[in-house]
Amino acid sequence: MVRELVDNALDAGARHVTVRLAAGGVRAIVVEDDGLGIPGDELPLALKRHATSKIGSLQDLESVATMGFRGEALAAIASVAEMSITSRTSAAAHAWKIDAVHGELSAAARALGTTVEVRELFFATPARRKFLKSEATEFAHALEALRRHALARPEVAFALWHDGRLAAQWRAGTPGQRLRDVLGAEFIAASRELATQRGPLSMRGRVGQPEAARARTDLQYLFVNGRFVRDRLIGHAMRAAYEDQLHGSRQPAYVMFLELSPELVDVNVHPTKIEVRFRDARALHGAVQGAVQQALAGSRAVAAPAAMPAALPPAQSFELPPSYRQSTLGLIDAVPAVHEVRDAPRTALDDTEAWPLGRALAQIGGAYVLAENQQGLVIVDMHAAHERVVYERLKASLSGNGTQRLPTQPLLLPVTLAATPAEMATAEGEHEALLALGLDVAPLAMSVLAVRSRPAALPDVDVAELTRSVLAELAQVGASGVVQRARDDLLGTMACHGAVRANRRLTIDEMNALLREMERTERADQCNHGRPTWRQVSIRELDALFLRGR
Ligand code: ADP
Ligand code: MG
């Protein structure tokens, strides 16, 4: 009901909309606006225009209670509740008020705009009150309806009062400000901006990083041509965009505004939901998925310097001329050299030279790399981070040469491994699939396999272990056509084997190389399973740890 009444206010060009609820809206809903108003002689028409006698069945009533109607909102509400409308247009000398119960029209005092008051919902049908949920639930619905309006119309100011107290207020502002006000700074910080135009389709909004994902779909806002909708197609495209970053049970968080020319979309408004049907569903699916993937791909690490504090903490200067050599980490080719870190004069970092993820300092717990950047301390989960780097590298090299095969490196000495009958069978049956993954595996004896090549991208991998894992996974998916999903999983398995193991001691050069590789890698902020690969601890947070004020 709140949705319908606010819709009307916005249709009337309101710049300020105030909603007042009593007992969650069960006792009263009042919506005030400063829109065009309704002339006194048209007030009776507003109630009758789509005169309805449809509230015949309990089901109809329930849909009014939970969703409201469209197109006949006032008449429908008037049939189940006490309602009055007070309104004044700019041409009128004073306002008019109509009491919907008796149809009485009387002069009233009011500035330009309209007030719709709905009281004692279902006064006419007390037995049906049970269809109203608890007050708290009703209030939550009303608040959510208003949030959706607020997101769609940042230039309009909204206020929500509940039992005399201000429950929410959003001032008119820019779209960006409104997103922050409604969804919170936390979501803004954990999301990336998206703004693209593809042919007749424009998309803008923010998509949550995987770490902003939620257990429920409660932070998924999709607007099509300014109207909030839930849509399976777009929902699916969004999920697909997160495919290899989000665990299946987690729900991405996003707010997305799609604008497309009206002839490309049918909006069907039902009593219970708003449905859209798109003309070119496949193209739209692809465009949404692509745009979201692109927005997510840029690493936060790359953007980090923008958030630099004005006053830089003193830090050591260092030079980072890249020296090109193969590090023991394998994939990394450009390894910056770090000179005399300890004795260098302590001057501020030159921005131009600063790396977003900073300069490696140490490795602790066999698992974490510590680094210092402009903001403070960076902590990297080295295995998770490297796994992502390797995974992206594998993905890129698989699609890079157009053959859908990973480049292979023949082994000087074949690696042999004892194999179970099942492994022997998989090795024979999936020979082609294994080759595509860079593994040339063939039976050598009754229960012995020989591996004659490895993926070129995994120089340090334990070939026997990798082969066993891949065989096990291939046996499971039955890779006759290693479909996309299974392929990504396989690459994930391979990346895990290719990534630096816990407790491996890294040199400072290797640590720096890993940091630089992360900065270059798409989606480096999360591992393949959606866990973060690095964290920033700011100088301010360090100060707080030591109760030090600045
Ligand atoms: P609809 O919005 O589909 O026309 P409603 O029953 O919601 O149907 O509203 C009936 C009519 O009453 C509207 O078309 C509009 O002319 C008028 N109206 C309702 N609310 C307002 C308002 N807040 N300000 C100005 N006019 C309004
Ligand atoms: Mg309406």
Side-chain angles (χ1 to χ4, degrees):
M1 219 158 272
V2 168
R3 186 187 91 201
E4 302 301 325
L5 295 176
V6 174
D7 254 339
N8 283 348
L10 294 172
D11 287 348
R15 310 300 294 184
H16 296 85
V17 177
T18 301
V19 177
R20 300 175 198 277
L21 305 175
V26 176
R27 295 226 90 84
I29 298 172
V30 180
V31 176
E32 300 166 9
D33 68 58
D34 58 355
L36 288 172
I38 309 170
D41 55 343
E42 285 180 22
L43 273 174
L45 293 176
L47 291 172
K48 286 210 189 90
R49 193 150 97 190
H50 319 269
T52 179
S53 53
K54 280 187 194 153
I55 312 295
S57 73
L58 286 179
Q59 241 173 2
D60 287 343
L61 182 64
E62 193 167 22
S63 65
V64 177
T66 54
M67 301 292 179
F69 278 136
R70 286 204 52 76
E72 46 201 26
L74 295 184
I77 295 170
S79 72
V80 294
E82 286 179 9
M83 181 168 72
S84 73
I85 305 172
T86 309
S87 193
R88 178 174 172 181
T89 61
S90 58
H94 59 80
W96 289 96
K97 175 175 182 171
I98 187 163
D99 176 340
V101 180
H102 309 102
E104 258 166 42
L105 198 62
S106 56
R110 198 203 186 283
L112 177 70
T114 304
T115 301
V116 178
E117 272 188 76
V118 182
R119 287 192 186 280
E120 295 298 336
L121 229 47
F122 307 113
F123 76 106
T125 54
R128 295 173 180 180
R129 271 203 74 173
K130 67 175 158 69
F131 285 103
L132 286 176
K133 316 234 169 48
S134 74
E135 289 177 15
T137 308
E138 289 298 317
F139 175 74
H141 286 317
L143 175 61
E144 186 58 23
L146 204 61
R147 283 160 63 89
R148 292 171 184 172
H149 281 300
L151 286 171
R153 302 293 300 275
E155 78 285 8
V156 177
F158 293 88
L160 174 64
W161 294 78
H162 188 205
D163 292 334
R165 273 193 294 274
L166 187 62
Q169 184 174 34
W170 301 297
R171 290 174 210 290
T174 64
Q177 279 163 345
R178 180 54 61 84
L179 285 191
R180 177 179 296 271
D181 291 347
V182 176
L183 300 176
E186 209 176 304
F187 171 74
I188 301 298
S191 60
R192 305 187 64 85
E193 190 175 359
L194 182 158
T196 65
Q197 175 85 40
R198 298 185 181 206
L201 170 69
S202 116
M203 282 179 264
R204 65 180 183 82
R206 294 196 73 90
V207 288
Q209 312 260 21
E211 76 213 42
R214 301 163 76 84
R216 298 188 299 134
T217 58
D218 58 343
L219 218 158
Q220 299 184 345
Y221 293 96
L222 170 67
F223 298 83
V224 175
N225 291 352
R227 195 167 273 298
F228 176 87
V229 297
R230 284 210 179 279
D231 180 73
R232 280 178 56 111
L233 177 82
I234 309 274
H236 186 273
M238 297 297 302
R239 263 236 72 93
Y242 283 85
E243 162 128 318
D244 55 8
Q245 293 187 78
L246 213 54
H247 187 269
S249 66
R250 303 290 289 167
Q251 296 293 339
Y254 55 83
V255 51
M256 179 91 86
F257 298 89
L258 300 189
E259 304 283 340
L260 62 178
S261 39
E263 66 268 20
L264 295 177
V265 55
D266 290 325
V267 178
N268 270 315
V269 181
H270 296 259
T272 51
K273 60 174 184 288
I274 298 171
E275 250 182 18
V276 285
R277 205 166 309 129
F278 301 102
R279 288 291 150 73
D280 192 351
R282 265 181 57 159
L284 183 73
H285 187 282
V288 170
Q289 182 181 348
V292 174
Q293 266 168 342
Q294 205 172 19
L296 291 171
S299 165
R300 217 170 358 122
V302 176
M308 245 164 8
L312 296 178
Q316 295 146 357
S317 78
F318 55 94
E319 283 175 10
L320 296 164
S323 65
Y324 293 87
R325 62 184 179 80
Q326 181 81 15
S327 88
T328 49
L329 273 181
L331 301 171
I332 296 156
D333 47 12
V335 181
V338 178
H339 298 307
E340 294 304 315
V341 167
R342 216 157 293 147
D343 305 322
R346 292 178 68 84
T347 56
L349 282 173
D350 179 337
D351 282 5
T352 56
E353 274 193 333
W355 301 100
L357 290 175
R359 171 175 59 89
L361 302 172
Q363 179 185 13
I364 59 170
Y368 299 104
V369 168
L370 303 186
E372 179 192 19
N373 69 356
Q374 305 270 14
Q375 289 78 24
L377 179 67
V378 169
I379 307 172
V380 176
D381 177 333
M382 67 184 203
H383 175 72
H386 196 222
E387 190 178 311
R388 186 77 204 189
V389 164
V390 176
Y391 176 71
E392 291 294 337
R393 188 61 78 87
L394 284 171
K395 255 194 350 191
S397 62
L398 190 60
S399 52
N401 55 13
T403 62
Q404 292 297 308
R405 281 170 174 261
L406 286 178
T408 63
Q409 175 72 51
L411 295 168
L412 283 179
L413 296 175
V415 172
T416 57
L417 59 144
T420 65
E423 285 170 333
M424 297 298 291
T426 309
E428 276 189 289
E430 304 295 349
H431 185 71
E432 273 304 307
L434 286 160
L435 270 184
L437 293 168
L439 292 167
D440 178 2
V441 186
L444 190 69
M446 260 294 277
S447 49
V448 181
L449 289 171
V451 189
R452 296 201 157 76
S453 76
R454 60 160 171 80
L458 304 178
D460 291 328
V461 75
D462 179 325
V463 173
E465 257 185 54
L466 174 71
T467 306
R468 276 211 182 85
S469 294
V470 171
L471 283 174
E473 222 167 303
L474 277 177
Q476 258 183 17
V477 296
S480 30
V482 178
V483 281
Q484 181 72 32
R485 181 71 203 228
R487 214 198 59 189
D488 286 352
D489 286 348
L490 278 163
L491 294 186
T493 301
M494 296 173 76
C496 182
H497 280 282
V500 56
R501 294 285 148 146
N503 296 322
R504 246 282 304 285
R505 289 213 69 80
L506 302 186
T507 65
I508 291 279
D509 279 0
E510 287 176 322
M511 295 181 214
N512 276 310
L514 174 60
L515 297 175
R516 302 294 78 81
E517 194 72 12
M518 286 170 68
E519 286 159 359
R520 278 201 294 271
T521 299
E522 293 193 341
R523 293 177 283 266
D525 300 333
Q526 281 85 28
C527 76
N528 307 340
H529 318 290
R531 289 190 300 271
T533 56
W534 66 281
R535 292 284 190 192
Q536 176 83 59
V537 182
S538 67
I539 293 288
R540 190 192 296 213
E541 286 165 304
L542 290 173
D543 286 346
L545 273 180
F546 295 98
L547 311 176
R548 172 197 275 265
R550 281 192 184 221

